[in-house]
Amino acid sequence: MSSNCQFCGHAHLTPTTTRYIHQQGDELLIVEEVPCLRCDDCGEEYFDVSTLKKIEADHLALATHRKRPARTLEVAVETFSAL
Ligand SMILES: [Zn+2]
């Protein structure tokens, strides 16, 4: 990973964890506590390719029922023009 923010150019990125929402067609997967680097200035988050590949593989395993998720959530869905 680069040590400078590619979004704003700020030099300091802090290692932390975040919630990552992965989308595959209409299916969403929420992964908690994903390691990332977060820009101290603009908040942009950067992930290792290996981290993203792991999430993709997990989503595929869930979508093909080779595995069950740790838990599921009911989420609200809205269409912007109806707000
Ligand atoms: Zn930044």
Side-chain angles (χ1 to χ4, degrees), residues 4-10 12-13 39-44 46:
N4 273 59
C5 179
Q6 291 165 31
F7 200 70
C8 74
H10 192 74
H12 201 250
L13 305 178
C39 175
D40 288 357
D41 198 44
C42 75
E44 184 72 7
Y46 295 91

Side-chain angles (χ1 to χ4, degrees), residues 3-81:
S3 57
N4 273 59
C5 179
Q6 291 165 31
F7 200 70
C8 74
H10 192 74
H12 201 250
L13 305 178
T14 302
T16 183
T17 60
T18 191
R19 170 185 286 172
Y20 188 90
I21 300 176
H22 187 258
Q23 190 167 345
Q24 205 161 260
D26 273 347
E27 303 214 20
L28 297 177
L29 169 65
I30 299 170
V31 186
E32 306 275 21
E33 297 173 28
V34 179
C36 69
L37 290 176
R38 183 181 293 137
C39 175
D40 288 357
D41 198 44
C42 75
E44 184 72 7
E45 290 170 341
Y46 295 91
F47 301 88
D48 268 333
V49 172
S50 62
T51 300
L52 297 177
K53 289 224 178 290
K54 200 168 181 176
I55 291 171
E56 267 174 40
D58 188 72
H59 202 167
L60 185 65
L62 293 168
T64 55
H65 307 289
R66 279 184 282 125
K67 170 182 176 191
R68 287 177 161 277
R71 62 194 178 99
T72 58
L73 287 179
E74 192 175 328
V75 297
V77 180
E78 294 266 53
T79 301
F80 187 74
S81 61

